Amino acid sequence: MNLQAVKSIYIFEMSRTFRTLLQSIVSPVLSTSLYFVVFGAAIGSRIQEVDGVSYGAFIVPGLIMLTVLTQATSNAAFGIYFPKFIGTIYELLSAPISFLEIVMGYVGAAATKALAIGLIILLTAAFFVDIQIAHPFWMLTFLVLTCVSFSLFGFILGIWAQNFEQLQLVPLLVITPLVFLGGSFYSISMLPPLWQNVTLFNPVVYLISGFRWSFYGTADVAIGLSITMIALFLAICLGIIWWIFKTGYRIKT
Amino acid sequence: MAPIVSINNLSKTYEGGHHALRDVSLDIEEGEILALLGPNGAGKTTLISIICGIVSPTGGTVTVGGHDVVDDYRHARTLIGLVPQEITLEPFEKVFRTVSFSRGLFGKPPNSQLISDVLEKLSLLDKKDSAINQLSGGMRRRVLIAKALSHEPRVLFLDEPTAGVDVELRKSMWSIVRDLKKNGVTIILTTHYIEEAEAIADRIGIISDGQLLLAEDKEALMGRLGRKQMRIDLQAPLDELPENLSNYELERAEDGTYLTYVYDTQADRTGITALLNDLGDAGIRIRDVQTQQSSLEQIFVDLVKETP
Ligand SMILES: Nc1ncnc2c1ncn2[C@@H]1O[C@H](COP(=O)(O)OP(=O)(O)OP(=O)(O)O)[C@@H](O)[C@H]1O
Ligand SMILES: [Mg+2]
């Protein structure tokens, strides 16, 4: 294992983040604050409580997930798309490193950044509402697993994408709707029965439900199911990545 | 001694069905400088890309330092440095950082002294904290070379290192290449400048349409090819060569209007003076004289023309 290379990629990618620190951190903080003003204060004042939690506090886990999913996906996608696009990928391909090490470096950096943003949003939220974390260990586990699996997903996206439109379209057209419809801002039980069933096909429901459980102890779906679904998603992404590197799909002619 | 790079029956067919390489075999000795010449699209970059792991071969094998480049890629690639044909660098990255990154990728521990030395040698040290997009094209090409040298390769591939580089810089690159050779580094470079191959290569390989036409010692090749032709146009057509000219390598054109004389430029005496004197003695009057170099360039062009 060429750990030196993993470290180099990781540090190189992280330093890209620090160079664009302002847009990396300020924008999620700003958009979260806006969500609180709109949903928490303006609308939330009319909704009062969901599952025994104030609406403002209720949306915190969903908000964190919304940003973390989008950030993990687009960061990882961009991280590997960029060298492909400008041609510096030749260096990765000609270096004595395995695919696993490339993935560890890029996905590790993207997941770290998403995790940091998730925690920053949590802190920001704490300024607006009272937050309790019933199961801190599980909260972190959910967060880390989500960061890693969606960074893997983003990595796949970045390899697959052949232009910038494709790169941006997937987070915009797939991730955002899935998160919005995945119960970020409401409890699934508030939907009509038909839609409750449709929603169960949305993988993000399990994420948000599990994550919210780690805060308030209430969940839309069983917690075991949530964990199983994340593990499944992670396994599928790993499988696809293994296949990409085995066949050289879109990276090697 | 076993060759440092051994290419065996290598072929590559791209997805569209284009045969970029056809059954190429070549051994490269440790410490030599091999120049690969060939027209656009001949397959030079494809060959290098396969050895370096960027392109997968469709047939044949390559070993570097005895390690197969596919099965034992970690050992093989540790020995290899690559300077690609296209300038590909992250525009906002700083010179020093991007060069250090390359070293890390190759699994070598950080060594800022070594990186500084490499930059110094390439006259880039004063630019070490500049962003790539603030450098000129020639400087960027040197950054690519610095990246390749940062991990101390034993075999260095330079794909058209002097394309778009001014004369002075080209000379300085040649001297860097010679220095590397002195330290035992094996160098494979591609070029479209035949005088470049003449100036620095030990051996010259010619590729055309995916085939390796020849790979020969430069001196031997130059000896074989370093012949010149002189065409002597005559005032009046000549029916027959006079007696006193019979021991020259002279050929009479069919209509007798000119003579061609072939001579060896490497030889001490070309025989031109004597020939011209003897022509005068025989009463032959000369209208014009032209000479033509059958240089590496000529042979190169002839060879390439022959392949369909
Ligand atoms: N990725 C690719 N897919 C399909 N065909 C390719 C690809 N890369 C190169 N080729 C084709 O393979 C042939 C050899 O290309 P290559 O780049 O090896 O030539 P070259 O000798 O380096 O040429 P040049 O002197 O112009 O750099 C060309 O006909 C080219 O069109
Ligand atoms: Mg080329």
Side-chain angles (χ1 to χ4, degrees), chain B residues 56-122:
Chain B
S56 313
T58 34
T61 56
V62 182
T63 62
V64 176
H67 308 287
D68 188 279
V69 295
V70 178
D71 296 335
D72 191 7
Y73 68 93
R74 269 190 210 269
H75 285 110
R77 290 185 199 165
T78 307
L79 302 172
I80 301 175
L82 166 66
V83 179
Q85 179 173 4
E86 303 284 329
I87 296 184
T88 44
L89 288 165
E90 287 206 28
F92 305 113
E93 222 30 84
K94 301 270 194 297
V95 171
F96 193 88
R97 264 255 300 281
T98 193
V99 175
S100 307
F101 173 66
S102 302
R103 184 174 168 84
L105 268 190
F106 278 72
K108 302 267 162 87
N111 184 341
S112 42
Q113 186 55 49
L114 185 134
I115 305 283
S116 296
D117 289 348
V118 167
L119 291 178
E120 168 96 74
K121 199 155 63 175
L122 291 158

Side-chain angles (χ1 to χ4, degrees), chain B residues 3 11 77-78 98 120 169 171 177 198 201 210 213 236 254 280 289:
Chain B
S11 55
R77 290 185 199 165
T78 307
T98 193
E120 168 96 74
L169 188 53
K171 294 261 164 69
V177 167
E198 288 188 18
L213 301 181
E254 242 165 71
V289 175

Side-chain angles (χ1 to χ4, degrees), chain B residues 44-46 85 159-160 190:
Chain B
K44 304 178 294 294
T45 300
T46 302
Q85 179 173 4
D159 201 352
E160 295 190 31
T190 72

